[in-house]
Amino acid sequence: MKMTKIFFVTLISFVFIFCAVEYCPAHIDEGKEGGGQVYRLDKVIVRDHPLKDESMVVTPDVTVINVDKFQKAGSVQNIRDLLSEMLGINVLRSSVTPSPTESIYIRGFDQSRFQVFIDGRPMRLMGRSGYVKTDWTTMPLDNIETIEIIRGSHSLLYPFSMGGAINIITKKGSKTDEIKPRGTATTEFGSYGAQSYSASIEGGLLNLIGYSFAGAHREGDGYLRNNDYNTGSFNARMTLFLPTGGTLTGGWDYVDNKTGYPVINDPSRADYDTSYPDVLEHDVDNFVHGPEGLVYPGGDSYWQKRTNEYSILLDQPLGPGELRAQVYQHESNRDRYWLTSNGTKKENLEIEEKNRGVFLDYLDFELIKNHAFSIGGEYRTQGIPENKDYYEIMSGYFQDVWSVTSPLTLIWGVRYYEFHSDAYKAGFPGMKTATEADKKAHEYRRKENEWCPKVRLDYEVDPNLTLYATVSREMRMP
């Protein structure tokens, strides 16, 4: 903790030192006629894109999707439906049923290699187990404004993003004095008992407060036996528009999902159900649900997860750049029930996770002409209620976007990681057989650190063609 405090005190000191220094204005290329100004913006920093009425903006570095304007063939109920249209992203569609299994890949990388964020806070690395897959089907679009997709590991702004990053930007209300809010309501029905209901409302008060609320419910019987689902979610954002030109936003996201495991439905068994497709006991290899393995009919076989996410986000123009700070907390509880082939009932209940963190960034300040600098850092803990800092993670970064010439841009920088975790020394007999004395004798606080430099060179041949080369190093967390 002492190191963490020193790190953030130093970081904040840098922020205010930079603000006090005389700085150059943003780099401007003068137009040939009419004094037009063309601003050369950083293409790596993914945030605040001026999409306006466009449904999507694609550059060599990032794809930004305007959710309200985006259209595709068929219905769009959740983020997975939308991501299926993106180049470089593969979406596995075995079922519309919520699932904790792998379903999204970026350039062949699964979720253990890329990161998912909401408003910049991490969503995938949760609790003591570390790697928890995101269930995309339980993330409705009603409260989402844009989705930003980075392919590759070149961005320094998102930690642990070995294969890329997906940042989901939520709606936060409007700065307006109109009392009348904007609202939507949607219902959809489909085969196998599928039905969904959603509603959202967005507006503002007195040019001072913005708000956005959304709720959704989905349920269905599922195509396969026992693969029914029932999901409810609620999202809320309240934004205070500060007199300094910044915003302070409080958020709450809640999901309660219950989904049945698809079970074996083999005609050779006495418990065969003719109303569902055949699932032969020895001919399947994709019904493995982690520790459960193959699941059989005859009783409760389902997983349920309840999640609460809380956050406070500050966006504030400050001197030559922009200050961004956020504190957040994640709480979740999972239950699992299943039956084995001989009818034995298994359960794994009250699997609790707790995740807390804070990050601070100072973005896009130009102290030297043609150089846009960014610095920042974060501190987070992951664990369970009785051991909240099982993992303790600290990182900081520096990035420079150098506009060398009009078509040539060099992006370079480094991120430093320090990683602490509870562990046991070599010779530990294992959790199943170890005594309390064994645990005390072998336990210790494991510490690791790593420097991860990154360099990217872009050459814009014309507005429709950019050549680039990149070399980067990234750390993967459990």
Side-chain angles (χ1 to χ4, degrees), residues 225 263-274 276-284 296-297:
R225 184 177 177 183
V263 299
I264 297 298
N265 193 36
D266 196 324
S268 64
R269 293 175 56 91
D271 53 18
Y272 175 65
D273 188 338
T274 58
Y276 290 96
D278 293 355
V279 177
L280 305 183
E281 187 173 13
H282 301 293
D283 290 347
V284 296
Y296 292 79

Side-chain angles (χ1 to χ4, degrees), residues 18-39:
F18 287 142
C19 292
V21 176
E22 181 178 356
Y23 59 93
C24 302
H27 175 56
I28 298 173
D29 294 329
E30 295 293 339
K32 293 182 179 180
E33 297 181 4
Q37 295 180 339
V38 180
Y39 291 82

Side-chain angles (χ1 to χ4, degrees), residues 5-230:
K5 293 178 181 178
I6 294 173
F7 171 78
F8 277 102
V9 168
T10 304
L11 181 61
I12 293 171
S13 300
F14 271 122
V15 168
F16 287 101
I17 289 171
F18 287 142
C19 292
V21 176
E22 181 178 356
Y23 59 93
C24 302
H27 175 56
I28 298 173
D29 294 329
E30 295 293 339
K32 293 182 179 180
E33 297 181 4
Q37 295 180 339
V38 180
Y39 291 82
R40 188 168 183 79
L41 301 178
D42 173 15
K43 295 184 290 184
V44 176
I45 294 178
V46 185
R47 57 186 181 80
D48 299 334
H49 294 274
L51 288 175
K52 298 181 180 179
D53 292 328
E54 297 181 68
S55 63
M56 184 166 57
V57 171
V58 180
T59 75
D61 309 301
V62 62
T63 297
V64 187
I65 306 165
N66 186 337
V67 173
D68 288 340
K69 299 292 182 180
F70 188 85
Q71 295 180 350
K72 66 181 285 288
S75 64
V76 179
Q77 292 185 340
N78 53 63
I79 294 176
R80 192 176 66 175
D81 295 333
L82 194 150
L83 293 177
S84 65
E85 300 294 306
M86 301 298 109
L87 293 175
I89 295 184
N90 297 322
V91 178
L92 301 185
R93 291 184 169 275
S94 58
S95 173
V96 297
T97 304
S99 171
T101 57
E102 207 75 63
S103 62
I104 304 293
Y105 295 80
I106 296 182
R107 290 180 173 175
F109 289 105
D110 64 20
Q111 288 184 48
S112 67
R113 300 300 196 278
F114 69 86
Q115 296 297 309
V116 182
F117 301 86
I118 290 186
D119 294 326
R121 75 176 188 271
M123 293 295 295
R124 188 184 64 74
L125 297 175
M126 296 297 174
R128 191 169 65 178
S129 57
Y131 174 32
V132 175
K133 300 167 187 173
T134 301
D135 180 15
W136 301 94
T137 63
T138 60
M139 302 177 71
L141 298 175
D142 302 82
N143 203 40
I144 298 175
E145 184 175 86
T146 58
I147 300 174
E148 305 166 335
I149 304 167
I150 299 177
R151 301 169 183 83
S153 62
H154 59 271
S155 177
L156 281 152
L157 272 67
Y158 298 104
F160 302 111
S161 52
M162 182 180 297
I166 297 175
N167 189 24
I168 300 163
I169 306 300
T170 61
K171 297 177 181 177
K172 300 175 179 64
S174 307
K175 187 176 184 180
T176 178
D177 57 2
E178 295 183 6
I179 298 178
K180 184 179 179 181
R182 299 180 299 275
T184 62
T186 305
T187 61
E188 292 192 5
F189 301 90
S191 55
Y192 307 106
Q195 50 188 296
S196 66
Y197 310 88
S198 64
S200 64
I201 185 171
E202 182 183 7
L205 295 170
L206 306 174
N207 286 312
L208 180 63
I209 297 175
Y211 59 84
S212 178
F213 305 101
H217 173 79
R218 296 177 62 233
E219 63 179 84
D221 185 43
Y223 172 66
L224 299 174
R225 184 177 177 183
N226 197 62
N227 204 199
D228 58 290
Y229 58 95
N230 191 310

